[in-house]
Amino acid sequence: MYLSGATVADVARRFGLPYATVRQWCRSSAAPKTLGSAFRCFRCREGAPTPVAYAYLLGLYLGDGHLATTVRVPVLRISCSKAWPGLIDACETAMRDVLAAKVQRVSQPGCVSVQSYGKHWPCLLPQHGPGKKHERPITLAAWQESIVSRNAGDFLRGLFHSDGARFTNRVTVRGREYAYPRYMFVNESTDIMGLCQWALDLLGVAWAMNRRNSLSVARREAVAALDRHVGPKS
């Protein structure tokens, strides 16, 4: 951050460290090394606070993300639809808040790949592995479960912003049309679907499986609860 133009005070607030300590690091000849990804990784820096954005980023990654570790420097990529520019911005912000010093946006047909290179992404996303997520087990580490249990709403926001949607459902009963808001989450991985169900249960949000790979939240009070935590994409 400091090397990118942030002030010493900005860095101290971001990492929860004493101003004097950060000033010494930032202004020393060792600053480029000290402020590398190892310093930014909250799993590798003793006593580091968990970034608020982590649960949201984890949800985005499980939905539409991929972590490539076969290259020299691991790269995290999350695909975001061009129809939702606010989501693209939120994804980049979350990457920066959690670990990234630099974030790139790579335009592709219909979507933007928000990506960041960093040696410590595998520390933060241990679910990475070869093959598609729905073809291999996806489980959270104990420390991730603890974070998600405290931040279930942010985690769900990431899941629904990647592989979900909020829309108006219309039905006709005895010739009369009814319209009501509804959330849907679609994912081929039974493990990721299970994590979504678990997080919804933590918040007391009623859900139902309308298909093997599709979860629905339709009750008025349940939709209102998700509106407080998730909300529509922008």
Side-chain angles (χ1 to χ4, degrees):
M1 290 175 63
Y2 180 74
L3 299 178
S4 301
T7 66
V8 173
D10 290 336
V11 178
R13 283 193 296 269
R14 165 65 177 80
F15 295 105
L17 294 171
Y19 178 89
T21 300
V22 176
R23 179 179 61 187
Q24 180 180 357
W25 285 341
C26 290
R27 295 181 179 178
S28 72
S29 59
K33 180 178 180 180
T34 302
L35 298 179
S37 61
F39 175 80
R40 296 190 299 273
C41 178
F42 69 90
R43 289 291 298 163
C44 295
R45 187 162 56 85
E46 185 176 355
T50 301
V52 175
Y54 178 76
Y56 176 62
L57 184 65
L58 176 61
L60 289 178
Y61 163 72
L62 292 178
D64 281 326
H66 172 68
L67 177 57
T69 58
T70 56
V71 292
R72 185 176 64 85
V73 178
V75 54
L76 171 64
R77 296 186 177 97
I78 297 178
S79 297
C80 302
S81 171
K82 290 180 178 178
W84 312 111
L87 171 59
I88 298 171
D89 292 339
C91 179
E92 177 175 340
T93 298
M95 282 188 181
R96 291 185 183 277
D97 287 348
V98 172
L99 182 72
K102 296 181 179 179
V103 178
Q104 299 86 35
R105 299 185 183 190
V106 180
S107 181
Q108 298 175 340
C111 71
V112 172
S113 179
V114 182
Q115 65 179 40
S116 168
Y117 288 84
K119 293 182 179 179
H120 285 258
W121 280 122
C123 304
L124 305 181
L125 299 170
Q127 288 70 36
H128 68 86
K132 299 176 180 178
K133 295 192 193 80
H134 69 273
E135 296 176 344
R136 53 188 172 86
I138 299 292
T139 58
L140 297 186
W143 60 269
Q144 290 178 302
E145 288 186 359
S146 177
I147 292 173
V148 172
S149 65
R150 299 193 308 269
N151 303 276
D154 293 327
F155 177 66
L156 288 169
R157 184 161 56 92
L159 289 178
F160 278 93
H161 280 185
S162 55
D163 273 351
R166 184 191 190 278
F167 60 96
T168 299
N169 194 50
R170 300 182 185 278
V171 296
T172 301
V173 180
R174 298 187 181 93
R176 184 174 180 181
E177 184 178 83
Y178 296 87
Y180 60 93
R182 183 182 187 185
Y183 280 90
M184 296 286 291
F185 177 70
V186 179
N187 196 288
E188 291 295 329
S189 168
T190 56
D191 288 341
I192 294 175
M193 184 63 72
L195 291 173
C196 181
Q197 296 166 351
W198 170 60
L200 289 168
D201 288 342
L202 288 175
L203 296 179
V205 175
W207 53 270
M209 297 297 294
N210 60 320
R211 293 196 305 276
R212 174 191 57 80
N213 63 344
S214 178
L215 178 148
S216 170
V217 175
R219 293 184 183 178
R220 181 179 300 177
E221 63 277 10
V223 170
L226 276 192
D227 281 344
R228 293 192 294 270
H229 294 283
V230 177
K233 301 178 188 179
S234 61

